[in-house]
Amino acid sequence: MARALVNVPANARRGDIIEIKALISHPMESGFRVGTNGKIIQRDIIQTFTCTYNGEEVFKAKYSPAIAANPFISFSTRATDSGEIVLAWRGDNGFEAVETKQITVE
Amino acid sequence: MMRPRRLRMIMACMAVLLAGPFASGDEIPLAARKSGSEFMSRQTQDMQNDDTSNPAMLWVLEGETLWSKPAGTANKSCSSCHRDAATSMKGVAASYPAFDETSSKVINLEQRINLCRTEQQKASPLAYESRDLLALTAYLARQSKGMPIEAKDDSRTRPFREAGEKLYSERVGQLNLSCAQCHTDNWGQKLGSALLPQAHPTAYPLYRLEWQTVGSLQRRLRNCMIGMRAEPYAYGDQEFVNLELYLMWRARGMTMEAPGVRP
């Protein structure tokens, strides 16, 4: 199971710019390395990261094999309404990790 | 044929190593000691100090889960005996390696965890550098964050510490180097492109960016030994534990940063 460390402020004032930080446990195997048996180690990376805020996509990133293991991402968005912030990572071998955080906006 | 410029660089590197006082035994004064984190870039320091960006926290989280997960035929978890780690394990990692009464020798934190597993939980010991053992040690070390390193100096641990000190200052390997030559005599200088720190184990187990994972102090020691072209001891060997004890004693009073981040 993938472990993620997600930091979303629990409270914000309407119109504030909030910072979202997320760290996920993933090997990010590049697909270019050779194993001890002389064979290429199959690529295993996260391909996309998306963040939706009350169903609306506010941030998206495409990952490449050059990104290190356990990738960290930080970005900002504007607090509009109370609700759900959903972070999702999807990648090779059917990898999927979804984290949901609640935010209260006043 | 070696280009003269390259040759000059190699000579310069050797001069750095040769210039240091040989087997001086002059330890770094207590007040002049610096943790490895002080030699890092600002960015890496920030990564270590912010729990939401420190990748080792992923292992701490996993350790927290393992702490209360029953294991072995006794079906006991760590928390069955030790309860809340935040209180029962506070300062524990800062005082390891420590003397073990039953085996009459000094053992490190990993060995202590495995003793609990085999004796109390009746489970199989965890392998060195396995994810579970790193997660548990990271979780325990985390409970000592900000506390001073406490290496006991008594008649029972002293022979082990002295054995560790001997290893620290003894030349080994094809390059015929000792730990002290780099980390006591020439810290702050460069070995190739790498900055030599003082080798204080303040942040283990730690996330090394080069490894892209968390590793134990023994993994780091093996790294150094391979670099010196010496045959490294096996994981868990008494030599390594003695060396760990000496390094912790050498860093006594310094602040625990575990789980740390290093380049």
Side-chain angles (χ1 to χ4, degrees), chain B residues 34-41 43-49 54-56 149 195 197-215 217 220 254-263:
Chain B
K34 284 168 184 246
S35 169
S37 59
E38 292 178 59
F39 295 87
M40 311 194 294
S41 70
Q43 288 89 330
T44 318
Q45 288 177 356
D46 288 349
M47 189 193 271
Q48 169 175 295
N49 298 334
N54 183 339
I149 289 177
L195 190 60
Q198 294 179 350
H200 297 301
T202 49
Y204 284 89
L206 54 77
Y207 191 93
R208 205 160 171 232
L209 300 178
E210 185 193 316
W211 293 336
Q212 302 205 6
T213 184
V214 166
L217 177 54
R220 188 66 194 82
M254 293 178 78
T255 309
M256 283 283 282
E257 298 167 10
V261 176
R262 292 290 181 273

Side-chain angles (χ1 to χ4, degrees), chain B residues 107-126:
Chain B
I107 58 168
N108 64 14
L109 195 57
E110 286 86 351
Q111 290 169 326
R112 180 68 256 174
I113 292 169
N114 273 335
L115 269 180
C116 265
R117 277 185 68 86
T118 50
E119 302 292 312
Q120 309 297 329
Q121 296 180 301
K122 309 285 178 208
S124 55
L126 296 168

